[in-house]
């Protein structure tokens, strides 16, 4: 058996690759392999696997991953006090041995032997080291291993040069230099190889390329060794290179052409657009045989730095295009310049007097192109509005280079290279601010500088305005401006200094909107959604979805809306830049919004209802009825019906924000209440507690402000379900009780029944069985089939906990029938899981296994991941009781991961306890003790006494602790649980003997 680390991490037994499981077991393997044959403490493994930010269940998960890994590597993985040791050969050890031997041979002047071992060592590599392991420790080790590989490549090349195998060395070193251009040792060896091959010019080219790269990227000169080597090669070349005799041409008398230098001043603090600059400059080197004019279109948001990039690049290209530079702002003096006017200016700059310029547009274009035909010019066309505006200004030959800037992409210009400028990162923004106001000033207040950079939203114009304001007020601390920018109502005012103003820049494009587009811009800005589909403009403007898409895309063309990406169902999502949204909301001050936003919310309501109908019902449905019903466009409903899960996932954040903004804008609270209630079910299915809480709190506030008691009761019941899912049982009871009080006062029976089910469920979990049964019976007397089914499940669970398995079975069977009558597959599956619990308690384990397996399959089919996880736990436990322990650890490890990801604290505690039971059944007492102690701590935190008692019972058996065994029995008796009778007369040791398989 051997482990492979130098590439994707793998374990092989002979010719067979071993299945290692998921990413976390692989990470554990990597952590142990990198400390071979050493005991690694569990605490250290936790830090390594989770980058020192472990989940609450980390200890249990490590034990689970160890169990999974042990099935792959067998006895090579050894348990030691407080940790684990892995005794397994790896390719890292082989590589290290070959590298050591090769270096020793090289030092002994034995290049042939060195070459053999370098080659054997490098042959072990199959790709990047530790590929697929993302933990931070692995990245650090991978970098160190990759450095050793590069060192081996260079050592092999040194030995090849020593044996005059220079072509092999050149091929290898050239590839290394391209992949690692800053590595001077590689460059030095490549220069020596070229020199040994008699290719001095190539050797000097290597030096020149290295110097250019180091200066451009790092701002440093090559090191002394590389400089000395260049000097030595140059000296050798001067002694041996043939001389070239230059013959002077006969003088010719010509009229010197005018060389225009018509660029604006260069940008002294040019920052953050290095990649775009490289793209522009690279086009001058890739002209090939084309006769077309090399042209680049730099597009982007207003204030993104398009002009700065174009002017800076043009200045850098002056030597490449020595016949001059032309510049025209095509939106000069607040108006769009006509091509005829620009051509006149350019011809004048090129030495053609005004009286010699033809008036006819076609003739002027022809004269312009003849004039520049033999010249090498850089032409900058700034702020172009359309293709038609720039086409007459293109030279029509390959000698010139044209840089166009535009807020539009100008995709109609054939052959033009597009370069899109996005927003600067926070880091680059902070660097730019430092270049403007001084690095010392920024360094003195780093947090304030970061805040200013972030509030400027990555827009260079905003950063320049902020910097200009700070320069004008040198007595201001940076935190003063940061605080002023934090006020959204003043931010655009603050980002204005002289002719640097974000608002003025945005007004240029805003002025181009017609009434319909302006209304869309206003309403979308007022909604302030995190992102949105184009369809939302349809109900806002009362137009079709296709027309809505055209409206939003026009806003994109004008740089007033950005493309955010593509959502799960393949639709484009859009969003506003923060500064644009503030500007739009400012312009929308007089826009009537209530009717349009109500129409949007009612459309959203209908679509959410369509989606929820297609998904498993996780919460009891409650919602007031709307007086009016909106029928969305069938095309929108098709999107939902095709993939309801993907649609809801894509729209959730926008819906949540729309509910909040609807309250701010005064929209009818009934709409927000209904949407909120509908969203409870998908939120519960995914444990999206944050969104669940946000919608309920804003809708509840709206209902209370308007005195809508029915809506208030509905929302309080929803909050009770939220708190229950968060395992906050006291808060859940309080919310359910408030809902029940209001519902009883206004005789709202449906809501009252739901509140009773909620309170009964919480009381049952708290082992307050009498109170729970009374509440559930009241719910059954009041509720419809859905409520009766949910309450019957609780009644069955109480009977099961009391040991009355016949009554429990009847209750669960009644529950199954009710859910089937309602065509509620999820409810049916949960009731089947309840039947499995009854059969497991009765000792009919095979039947229990089948019920759990059926429940899990149904829940997976309907898309309820968390419900399927609970069914899987039930299956694992029934299988364990039946003596079928194969794959149970893996199944439970997946359960722990799902519950951890979904932040289900009850589930995590349950899965941890079950893992402990499995370890106990397999005789792994030390592991069982650790897992059960972890679970006991979690049950104590949750305040669930019956689960504490069950865990104490098993922990006492694992530790053979008679005192804990007695406490567990006393707690069972106090709670009236069935376990009190099951344990009568048994000792901890006898219970353990009965469990061990």
């Amino acid at each position: 058996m051997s482990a492979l680390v130098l590439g994707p991490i793998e374990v092989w037994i002979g010719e067979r690759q071993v299945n290692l499981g998921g990413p976390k077991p692989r990470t554990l393997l990597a952590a142990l392999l990198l400390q071979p044959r050493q005991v690694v403490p569990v605490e250290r493994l936790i830090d390594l696997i989770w980058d020192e930010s472990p989940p609450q269940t980390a200890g249990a998960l490590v034990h689970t991953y160890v169990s999974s890994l042990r099935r792959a590597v067998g006895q090579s993985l050894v348990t030691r006090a407080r940790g684990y040791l892995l005794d397994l050969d790896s390719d890292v050890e082989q590589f290290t041995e070959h590298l050591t031997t090769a270096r020793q041979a090289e030092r002994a002047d034995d290049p042939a032997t060195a070459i053999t071992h370098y080659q054997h060592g490098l042959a072990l590599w199959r790709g990047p080291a530790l590929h697929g392991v993302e933990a931070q420790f692995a990245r650090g080790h991978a970098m160190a291993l990759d450095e050793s590989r590069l060192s081996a490549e260079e050592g092999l090349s040194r030995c090849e040069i020593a044996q005059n195998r220079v072509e092999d060395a050149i091929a290898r070193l050239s590839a290394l230099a391209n992949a690692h251009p800053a590595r001077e040792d590689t460059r030095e060896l490549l220069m020596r190889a070229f020199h040994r091959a008699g290719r001095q010019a190539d050797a000097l080219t290597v030096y020149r390329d290295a110097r250019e790269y180091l200066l451009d990227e790092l701002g440093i000169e090559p090191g002394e060794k590389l400089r000395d080597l260049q000097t030595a090669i140059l000296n050798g070349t001067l002694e041996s290179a043939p001389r070239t005799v230059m013959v002077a041409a006969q003088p010719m008398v010509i009229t010197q052409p005018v060389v225009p230098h018509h660029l604006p001043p260069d940008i002294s603090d040019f920052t953050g657009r290095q990649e775009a600059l490289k793209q522009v400059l690279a086009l001058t080197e890739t002209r090939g045989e084309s006769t077309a004019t090399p042209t680049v279109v730099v597009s982007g948001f207003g204030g993104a730095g398009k002009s700065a990039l174009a002017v800076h690049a043009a200045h850098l290209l002056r030597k490449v295009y020595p016949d001059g530079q032309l510049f025209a702002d095509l939106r000069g003096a607040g108006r769009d310049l006509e091509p005829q006017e620009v051509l006149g200016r350019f011809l004048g700059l090129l030495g053609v007097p005004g009286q010699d310029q033809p008036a006819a547009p076609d003739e002027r274009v022809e004269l312009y192109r003849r004039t520049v035909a033999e010249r090498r010019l850089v032409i900058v066309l700034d702020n172009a509005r359309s293709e038609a505006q720039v086409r007459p200004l293109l030279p029509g030959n390959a000698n010139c280079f044209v840089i166009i800037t535009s807020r539009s992409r100008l995709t109609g210009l054939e052959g033009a290279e597009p370069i899109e400028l996005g927003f600067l990162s926070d880091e680059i923004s902070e660097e730019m601010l430092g270049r403007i106001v001084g690095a010392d000033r920024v360094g003195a207040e780093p947090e304030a500088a970061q805040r200013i950079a972030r509030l400027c939203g990555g827009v260079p114009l905003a950063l320049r305005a902020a910097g200009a304001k700070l320069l004008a007020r040198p007595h201001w601390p940076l935190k003063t401006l940061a605080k002023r920018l934090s006020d959204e109502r003043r931010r655009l005012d603050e980002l204005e200094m002289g002719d640097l103003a974000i608002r003025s820049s945005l007004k240029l494009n805003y002025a181009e909107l017609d009434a319909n587009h302006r209304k869309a811009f206003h309403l979308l800005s007022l909604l302030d959604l995190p992102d949105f589909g184009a369809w939302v403009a349809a109900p806002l403007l009362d137009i079709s979805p296709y027309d809505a898409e055209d409206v939003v895309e026009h806003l994109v063309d004008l740089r007033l809306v950005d493309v955010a990406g593509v959502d799960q169902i393949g639709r484009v999502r859009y969003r506003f830049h923060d500064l644009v949204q503030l500007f739009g909301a400012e312009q929308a001050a007089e826009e009537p919004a209530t009717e349009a936003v109500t129409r949007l919310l009612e459309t959203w309501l209908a679509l959410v209802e369509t989606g929820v109908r297609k998904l498993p019902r996780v919460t009891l449905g409650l919602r007031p009825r709307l007086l009016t019903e909106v029928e969305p466009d069938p095309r929108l409903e098709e999107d939902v019906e095709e993939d309801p899960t993907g649609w809801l996932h894509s729209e959730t954040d926008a819906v949540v924000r729309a509910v909040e903004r609807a309250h701010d804008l005064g929209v009818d609270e009934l709409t927000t209440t209904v949407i909120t209630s509908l969203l409870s079910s998908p939120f519960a299915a995914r444990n999206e507690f944050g969104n669940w809480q946000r919608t309920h709190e804003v809708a509840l506030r709206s209902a209370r402000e308007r005195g809508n008691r029915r809506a208030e009761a509905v929302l309080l019941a929803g909050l009770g379900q939220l708190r229950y899912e968060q395992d906050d049982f006291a808060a859940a009871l309080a919310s359910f009780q408030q809902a029940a009080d209001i519902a009883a006062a206004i005789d709202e029976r449906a809501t009252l029944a739901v509140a009773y089910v909620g309170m009964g469920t919480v009381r049952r979990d708290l082992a307050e069985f009498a109170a729970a049964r009374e509440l559930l019976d009241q719910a059954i007397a009041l509720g419809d089939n859905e409520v009766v089914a949910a309450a019957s499940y609780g009644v069955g669970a109480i009977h099961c906990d009391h040991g009355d398995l016949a009554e429990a079975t009847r209750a669960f069977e009644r529950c199954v029938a009710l859910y089937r009558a309602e065509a509620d597959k999820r409810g049916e599956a949960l009731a089947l899981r309840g039947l499995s619990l009854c059969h497991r308690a009765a000792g009919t384990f095979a039947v229990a296994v089948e019920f759990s397996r059926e429940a899990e399959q149904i829940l997976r089919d309907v898309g309820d991941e968390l419900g399927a996880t609970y069914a899987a736990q039930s299956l694992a436990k029934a299988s364990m009781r039946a003596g079928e322990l194969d794959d149970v650890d893996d199944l439970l490890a997946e359960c722990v991961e799902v519950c951890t990801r979904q932040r289900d604290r009850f589930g995590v505690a349950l899965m941890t306890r079950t893992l402990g039971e499995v370890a106990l059944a397999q005789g792994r007492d030390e592991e069982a003790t650790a897992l059960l102690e972890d679970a006991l701590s979690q049950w104590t935190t949750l305040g669930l006494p019956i689960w504490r008692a069950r865990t104490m019972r098993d922990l006492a058996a694992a530790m053979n602790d008679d005192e804990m065994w007695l406490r567990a029995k006393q707690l069972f008796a106090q709670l009236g649980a069935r376990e009190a009778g099951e344990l009568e007369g048994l000792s901890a040791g006898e219970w353990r003997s009965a469990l061990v398989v």
Side-chain angles (χ1 to χ4, degrees):
M1 180 183 296
S2 62
L4 305 183
V5 174
L6 304 178
I9 191 161
E10 298 171 357
V11 172
W12 290 76
I13 301 177
E15 299 298 317
R16 178 175 64 86
Q17 184 176 352
V18 178
N19 180 14
L20 296 174
K24 287 294 192 290
R26 291 174 182 272
T27 305
L28 171 65
L29 176 61
L32 294 167
L33 280 171
L34 293 172
Q35 301 178 69
R37 301 171 185 85
Q38 299 179 40
V39 175
V40 185
V42 171
E43 293 79 8
R44 178 59 179 155
L45 289 172
I46 289 172
D47 288 342
L48 293 174
I49 293 172
W50 284 281
D51 292 339
E52 301 185 2
S53 299
Q56 182 183 0
T57 57
L61 287 170
V62 166
H63 293 302
T64 302
Y65 301 147
V66 166
S67 297
S68 177
L69 194 57
R70 187 173 276 126
R71 281 191 294 279
V73 301
Q75 299 305 309
S76 299
L77 180 54
V78 182
T79 303
R80 291 284 186 263
R82 300 185 60 79
Y84 298 94
L85 175 150
L86 184 63
D87 185 3
L88 193 62
D89 294 335
S90 73
D91 55 358
V92 172
E93 294 172 319
Q94 296 175 51
F95 173 70
T96 302
E97 289 172 5
H98 282 302
L99 190 58
T100 301
T101 304
R103 286 172 174 167
Q104 290 171 346
E106 193 177 355
R107 284 194 293 270
D109 198 20
D110 183 1
T113 300
I115 286 174
T116 299
H117 284 281
Y118 278 131
Q119 289 175 334
H120 286 329
L122 290 169
L124 295 168
W125 285 77
R126 299 164 294 112
L130 294 160
H131 183 64
V133 180
E134 300 299 328
Q136 186 175 335
F137 82 89
R139 291 194 293 270
H141 280 284
M143 289 176 61
L145 288 168
D146 285 339
E147 175 63 28
S148 295
R149 179 181 61 80
L150 291 174
S151 176
E153 296 271 15
E154 290 169 344
L156 176 56
S157 300
R158 275 195 308 272
C159 294
E160 287 173 335
I161 293 170
Q163 292 212 312
N164 285 320
R165 293 165 53 179
V166 290
E167 293 306 323
D168 291 342
I170 287 171
R172 176 178 295 99
L173 292 167
S174 296
L176 280 179
N178 287 333
H180 306 277
R183 197 172 176 87
E184 293 191 39
D185 288 347
T186 300
R187 302 271 199 180
E188 178 194 352
L189 284 169
L190 183 55
M191 290 173 69
R192 292 186 184 280
F194 276 131
H195 182 262
R196 179 68 67 93
R199 297 164 59 181
Q200 282 78 6
D202 289 333
L204 294 172
T205 299
V206 172
Y207 177 82
R208 185 176 66 248
D209 291 346
R211 184 172 185 271
E212 287 179 1
Y213 178 86
L214 293 170
L215 283 172
D216 290 347
E217 297 297 325
L218 305 177
I220 60 174
E221 288 282 353
E224 184 177 355
K225 287 171 61 179
L226 215 56
R227 295 199 306 271
D228 289 347
L229 181 57
Q230 182 225 18
T231 301
I233 293 173
L234 282 171
N235 291 338
T237 303
L238 288 172
E239 293 173 356
S240 59
R243 296 183 179 275
T244 301
V245 179
M246 303 298 293
V247 179
Q250 293 298 314
M252 179 183 296
V253 179
I254 60 171
T255 302
Q256 292 294 325
V258 175
V259 179
H261 298 295
H262 191 50
L263 293 175
D266 197 3
I267 312 298
S268 60
D269 54 9
F270 184 81
T271 308
R273 299 296 186 192
Q274 297 301 328
E275 287 304 315
L277 180 62
K278 286 181 185 177
Q279 283 182 263
V280 176
L281 300 182
L283 287 175
T284 67
E285 302 169 2
T286 57
R287 292 190 299 274
E289 300 300 321
S290 173
T291 58
T293 306
T295 303
V296 60
V297 176
V298 181
S299 58
F301 179 84
K306 302 180 293 294
S307 301
L309 171 63
V311 170
H312 186 61
H315 276 283
L316 294 177
L317 292 171
R318 289 177 65 165
K319 291 182 180 179
V320 181
Y321 294 91
D323 298 330
Q325 306 86 40
L326 297 174
F327 176 90
D329 184 351
L330 302 183
R331 189 175 280 182
R335 64 182 179 86
D336 293 332
L337 299 185
E338 293 297 326
Q340 182 84 337
E341 182 179 351
V342 179
L343 286 170
R345 293 184 186 180
F346 282 179
L347 286 168
L349 291 167
L350 293 166
V352 181
Q355 63 270 22
D356 294 339
Q357 298 180 17
D362 290 348
E363 294 179 9
R364 186 169 289 194
V365 171
E366 185 180 343
L367 175 60
Y368 165 67
R369 288 176 176 162
R370 284 201 313 271
T371 304
V372 302
E374 301 301 326
R375 302 195 194 195
R376 295 177 59 77
L377 298 165
V378 177
I379 302 166
V380 179
L381 305 176
D382 197 28
N383 283 321
R385 182 174 181 179
S386 67
E387 292 89 344
Q389 191 183 22
V390 299
R391 277 199 180 96
L393 306 176
L394 300 179
N397 65 69
N399 297 327
C400 297
F401 186 76
V402 179
I403 307 175
I404 303 168
T405 74
S406 176
R407 299 191 185 196
S408 299
R409 292 181 175 85
L410 304 185
T411 54
L413 286 179
E414 300 82 357
E417 181 76 15
I419 294 179
E420 178 83 7
L421 294 190
F423 300 108
L424 302 178
S425 66
D426 288 350
E427 183 180 2
I428 296 297
S429 297
E430 189 179 350
E431 178 188 343
M432 182 174 178
L433 184 66
R435 291 196 176 192
I436 296 170
V437 305
D440 291 346
R441 197 169 175 187
V442 166
E445 295 183 78
E447 291 183 5
Q450 291 167 9
R451 193 172 173 193
I452 292 170
R454 186 175 63 254
L455 292 172
C456 286
V459 180
L461 177 60
L463 288 160
R464 291 198 178 279
K469 180 158 286 189
L470 289 169
L471 288 174
R473 294 165 175 77
H475 52 284
W476 271 16
L478 266 60
K479 68 178 181 181
T480 298
L481 180 59
K483 186 175 181 179
R484 293 167 72 100
L485 287 172
S486 297
D487 185 346
E488 291 187 350
R489 296 166 300 178
R490 293 189 49 83
R491 190 175 304 163
L492 294 178
D493 294 326
E494 296 297 335
L495 294 176
E496 186 169 343
M497 195 68 187
D499 61 352
L500 299 172
I502 283 290
R503 186 183 281 112
S504 300
S505 176
L506 292 171
K507 281 183 177 178
L508 291 174
N509 285 0
Y510 180 73
E512 298 183 25
L513 297 176
D514 61 24
N516 212 37
H517 291 93
R518 190 166 291 191
K519 182 177 182 180
F521 179 54
H522 289 170
L523 292 172
L524 289 168
S525 297
L526 285 173
L527 282 169
D528 189 21
L529 304 176
D531 61 61
F532 55 91
W535 72 267
V536 300
L540 286 176
L541 302 181
D542 204 11
I543 58 178
S544 75
Y546 288 146
D547 290 338
E549 189 170 40
D550 291 340
V551 166
V552 174
E553 283 293 340
H554 184 61
L555 296 177
V556 172
D557 291 340
L558 290 176
R559 304 294 174 169
L560 294 172
V561 167
D562 298 325
V563 174
V566 177
D567 63 22
Q568 285 194 359
I569 61 174
R571 302 170 308 166
V572 178
R573 306 290 295 183
Y574 304 87
R575 66 180 169 215
F576 282 109
H577 187 278
D578 289 349
L579 298 178
V580 179
Q581 187 274 323
L582 292 175
F583 173 79
E586 182 179 270
Q587 303 305 311
E590 303 302 321
E591 184 75 57
T594 303
E595 181 181 343
V597 173
T598 299
R599 196 163 51 239
L600 170 61
L601 281 177
E602 290 181 355
T603 303
W604 237 323
L605 167 61
L607 295 174
V608 168
E609 189 161 28
T610 298
V612 169
R613 275 201 309 268
K614 299 283 184 178
L615 297 175
R617 185 179 299 171
V618 179
T619 57
L620 291 177
L622 275 177
R623 68 182 182 93
R625 296 189 177 279
L626 288 175
L627 297 177
T628 60
E629 296 289 343
V630 170
E631 292 189 9
D633 188 288
R635 288 165 292 192
L636 299 178
E637 290 189 305
E638 286 173 9
D639 285 342
V640 185
E641 290 173 344
E642 186 175 333
D643 184 0
T645 300
W647 188 90
L648 282 164
H649 188 275
S650 301
E651 295 291 342
T652 291
D653 288 342
V655 175
V656 171
R657 180 59 179 155
V659 168
E660 292 176 333
R661 291 297 294 139
H663 171 68
D664 297 338
L665 296 169
V667 173
D668 180 11
E669 84 284 354
L670 270 183
T671 307
T672 56
T673 300
V674 176
I675 290 180
T676 296
S677 298
L678 279 172
L679 286 172
S680 291
S681 193
F683 285 159
R686 299 193 298 267
N687 276 7
E688 291 185 16
F689 299 137
N691 284 333
W692 195 348
Q693 181 168 334
R694 283 172 61 191
T695 52
H696 271 75
E697 286 182 347
V698 71
L700 181 61
R701 189 162 65 247
S702 179
R704 283 172 170 167
E705 287 175 0
R706 301 200 179 197
N708 189 329
R709 300 281 281 165
R710 186 182 181 195
E712 183 180 359
V714 168
L715 293 162
L716 283 166
L719 277 172
Q721 288 186 306
L722 164 63
R723 299 309 181 199
Y724 176 73
E725 294 297 331
Q726 291 177 304
D727 305 307
D728 188 346
F729 301 113
L733 278 174
S735 291
F736 281 131
Q737 187 64 62
Q738 290 179 61
D741 291 344
I742 295 172
I746 63 174
D747 195 26
E748 177 52 52
R749 292 167 63 88
T751 306
L752 182 59
V754 169
Y756 282 152
V757 171
M759 287 190 287
T761 302
V762 175
R763 296 289 184 194
R764 174 175 61 80
D765 277 358
L766 295 173
E768 299 171 7
F769 297 123
R773 180 62 190 272
E774 182 180 350
L775 288 162
L776 292 170
D777 285 343
Q778 287 178 296
I780 290 172
L782 286 171
D784 58 14
N785 279 355
E786 184 186 358
V787 169
V788 172
S792 296
Y793 182 94
V795 170
I798 291 172
H799 283 309
C800 190
D801 286 335
H802 278 155
D804 192 345
L805 299 181
E807 282 297 323
T809 299
R810 281 191 285 273
F812 283 128
E813 286 174 343
R814 183 168 62 251
C815 191
V816 169
L818 286 167
Y819 278 125
R820 283 176 176 166
E822 293 290 305
D824 186 340
K825 300 296 289 182
R826 179 182 183 275
E828 176 189 344
L830 295 181
L832 289 171
R833 178 178 178 271
L835 285 172
S836 174
L837 300 178
C838 292
H839 282 282
R840 193 177 77 216
T844 50
F845 300 128
V847 179
V849 166
E850 289 309 311
F851 273 127
S852 288
R853 184 171 285 124
E854 184 181 359
E856 182 191 16
Q857 188 58 54
I858 293 173
L859 289 164
R860 294 205 186 282
D861 288 345
V862 300
D864 184 356
E865 182 186 41
L866 196 57
T869 298
Y870 276 83
Q873 180 271 340
S874 182
L875 173 60
K877 192 158 180 179
S879 299
M880 178 188 70
R881 291 284 187 259
E884 301 170 4
L885 291 170
D886 290 346
D887 301 325
V888 168
D889 275 326
D890 289 341
L891 183 60
L892 289 171
E894 292 175 12
C895 293
V896 174
E897 290 187 358
V898 171
C899 293
T900 299
R901 173 163 42 80
Q902 297 232 25
R903 295 168 296 163
D904 178 17
R905 294 191 298 160
F906 183 97
V908 169
L910 180 64
M911 305 309 162
T912 304
R913 172 180 174 258
T914 310
L915 280 166
E917 291 180 276
V918 172
L920 180 60
Q922 293 178 326
R924 307 194 314 266
D925 291 358
E926 185 178 343
E927 223 171 291
T929 298
L931 288 162
L932 292 168
E933 285 178 339
D934 190 356
L936 181 60
S937 173
Q938 294 179 56
W939 294 128
T940 302
T941 300
L942 290 171
L944 298 177
I946 196 165
W947 292 101
R948 286 185 63 246
R950 289 167 179 166
T951 307
M952 288 167 61
R953 172 197 62 191
D954 297 333
L955 184 57
M959 299 172 64
N960 200 21
D961 186 332
D962 292 334
E963 182 181 348
M964 183 179 291
W965 177 260
L966 180 60
R967 292 207 313 271
K969 290 175 63 174
Q970 289 172 342
L971 186 51
F972 281 132
Q974 178 184 331
L975 297 171
R978 72 169 188 274
E979 287 88 348
E982 292 173 353
L983 302 181
E984 187 65 37
L986 289 178
S987 68
E990 290 169 331
W991 174 257
R992 182 186 183 285
S993 298
L995 290 177
V996 174
V997 178

